Amino acid sequence: LQRMLSIAVEVDKSPNCSSCKIAAVMFPFILNIPLRSQREAFLNTMESQLLRCKLLEQLFQHSCDLPTTLPLSLAKILYFLNHSSVLLPYQDETATWQRWDEMLQYLNLLLMSYQNVILAFPLADHLGSSLSDRMDLIIQKVKPRLQADDDINHLEVQLKIENFISRMQQLLGQPLPLQITEKLHLLQ
């Protein structure tokens, strides 16, 4: 399945468009996967970094009280950190901190996938180039160009992390568990 999805993204003239369409079809099914381990297995085994980005972006957009119109970028990932709620409906009695731990796991996965997409799509519109265009650019060793929304500084990141920690401590009523702290450091 993962190989077929990857091929479906790659054979299109516009991988960005095809990945958006495939992610839109897959999104309701992801919402209905009952166990975290099953969701993580599915997302971690995706061969297409672009499709994973689009699917995770939809998950986070769905979880935001006020969705953003920013293009997928580092700024949007930071936006998700401060505006997302618990992502998925849970059918078991999972502790609140574990739900947030899963959200941070997916945010880290989105960041890593986005970085891989930027390196693999070295055009100004890096999410929209065909495989043959990308191969030509890779052969020419063209460096990827970042978007304006990818230009974030350390202070912005630090402030967003501190806002998240404050929000979590208020919500949980206790210091952050070690797992959440570790994922925040990884994200930072």
Side-chain angles (χ1 to χ4, degrees), residues 170-182:
Q170 241 180 353
L171 181 72
L172 299 174
Q174 62 186 14
L176 294 181
L178 182 61
Q179 292 91 329
I180 289 181
T181 305
E182 288 173 350

Side-chain angles (χ1 to χ4, degrees), residues 25-156:
V25 170
M26 293 172 64
F27 179 68
F29 297 105
I30 295 296
L31 287 179
N32 291 316
I33 296 175
L35 298 175
R36 176 180 179 173
S37 59
Q38 293 169 333
R39 286 187 293 273
E40 286 182 358
F42 180 75
L43 291 168
N44 287 331
T45 59
M46 291 192 92
E47 288 186 22
S48 172
Q49 298 287 330
L50 180 57
L51 181 57
R52 183 184 309 160
C53 279
K54 293 300 181 179
L55 193 53
L56 287 169
E57 181 181 17
Q58 280 195 0
L59 279 170
F60 282 104
Q61 282 285 69
H62 175 74
S63 77
C64 287
D65 295 332
L66 182 61
T68 180
T69 58
L70 287 171
L72 185 57
S73 60
L74 296 177
K76 188 170 193 173
I77 292 170
L78 281 179
Y79 180 89
F80 288 151
L81 177 67
N82 280 289
H83 293 92
S84 293
S85 60
V86 174
L87 288 173
L88 303 166
Y90 286 81
Q91 299 171 354
D92 56 1
E93 295 296 321
T94 305
T96 302
W97 76 266
Q98 290 174 317
R99 296 176 187 183
W100 285 102
D101 182 63
E102 182 177 6
M103 187 274 294
L104 286 173
Q105 176 71 26
Y106 295 152
L107 199 59
N108 277 308
L109 188 58
L110 176 59
L111 177 61
M112 290 185 306
S113 296
Y114 179 68
Q115 289 174 328
N116 287 331
V117 166
I118 288 175
L119 294 176
F121 293 80
L123 286 176
D125 181 19
H126 57 269
L127 299 180
S129 57
S130 68
L131 183 60
S132 59
D133 293 340
R134 284 180 286 160
M135 291 309 293
D136 291 342
L137 293 168
I138 290 169
I139 290 168
Q140 296 169 15
K141 298 182 181 180
V142 174
K143 298 289 184 200
R145 286 184 263 164
L146 300 178
Q147 301 178 73
D149 293 320
D150 286 329
D151 188 22
I152 58 174
N153 61 46
H154 182 71
L155 182 59
E156 288 176 276

